[in-house]
Amino acid sequence: MTNPIDKAVQRQALRAARDTYVGTLSSADRARLEADAASALKPLLVGSATVAFYVAIGSELGCAAAIDATAKAGGAVLLPRVTGPGSDMHFHLWSPGDSLERGWRGLLQPSADAPLREPDAIVAPLIGFDSRLMRLGQGGGFYDRAFALRPMVKKIGYGWSVQKSCAIAVDPWDVALDAVVTERGPIEPEERG
């Protein structure tokens, strides 16, 4: 059963909250808070040899510090590649300094010939999340499909603390995250009913 909360309305409100919050930050403050989030993420990635990140767009919480820390620790960094609506998301090996190309909807992603790898953990962007660790994404379903195809992967949402909502609208195909990391630290799951 679909939740009566309207996802489009929720996305609009949570995007506005995120944009407003990030708009108040200086470049130095944003970099410091993103480094704080990367530090909070690190313990959740213990045992994960390959970690999928994303290239942040606009006011999304950036992964650059977390990517650098993972690469310096010897972990393999993966980035997603999508080709269009309804397509599956594939993860390609990428190293800091490697080139990226513009893909569908202008997303920065590795080239098609970059080696494919399967992640042990996926760090996913989000528009919002709640205490059940349900994730509200952009609406394309790419991460939902990626999670469904990889039930054993660690699913970690990555966003600003202002993106937490009392309740996220949920559809039957939505998958709960294992954790969410914000600039304030990790958030563990509450009991799921």
Side-chain angles (χ1 to χ4, degrees), residues 63-85:
C63 295
I67 288 171
D68 287 343
T70 299
K72 285 178 183 169
V77 172
L78 309 178
L79 290 178
R81 182 176 173 82
V82 296
T83 56

Side-chain angles (χ1 to χ4, degrees), residues 6-85:
D6 185 294
K7 282 188 172 186
V9 170
Q10 201 167 44
R11 279 188 186 97
Q12 184 178 9
L14 289 167
R15 265 194 201 104
R18 181 183 72 189
D19 290 347
T20 299
Y21 175 71
V22 172
T24 67
L25 300 175
S26 68
S27 308
D29 285 341
R30 184 172 180 175
R32 179 182 50 78
L33 293 173
E34 288 178 345
D36 291 347
S39 293
L41 176 63
K42 188 175 180 178
L44 298 176
L45 298 180
V46 170
S48 298
T50 57
V51 183
F53 291 97
Y54 60 92
V55 177
I57 299 171
S59 61
E60 289 179 337
L61 180 62
C63 295
I67 288 171
D68 287 343
T70 299
K72 285 178 183 169
V77 172
L78 309 178
L79 290 178
R81 182 176 173 82
V82 296
T83 56

Side-chain angles (χ1 to χ4, degrees), residues 118-137:
E118 281 300 311
D120 298 316
I122 297 175
V123 177
L126 45 78
I127 299 289
F129 65 95
D130 63 20
S131 61
R132 300 167 300 160
L133 302 187
M134 296 307 297
R135 173 187 172 273
L136 182 66

Side-chain angles (χ1 to χ4, degrees), residues 100-120:
L100 294 167
E101 59 184 41
R102 292 224 176 258
W104 181 72
R105 289 202 173 166
L107 297 172
L108 288 174
Q109 56 190 18
S111 65
D113 62 354
L116 284 167
R117 295 284 189 277
E118 281 300 311
D120 298 316

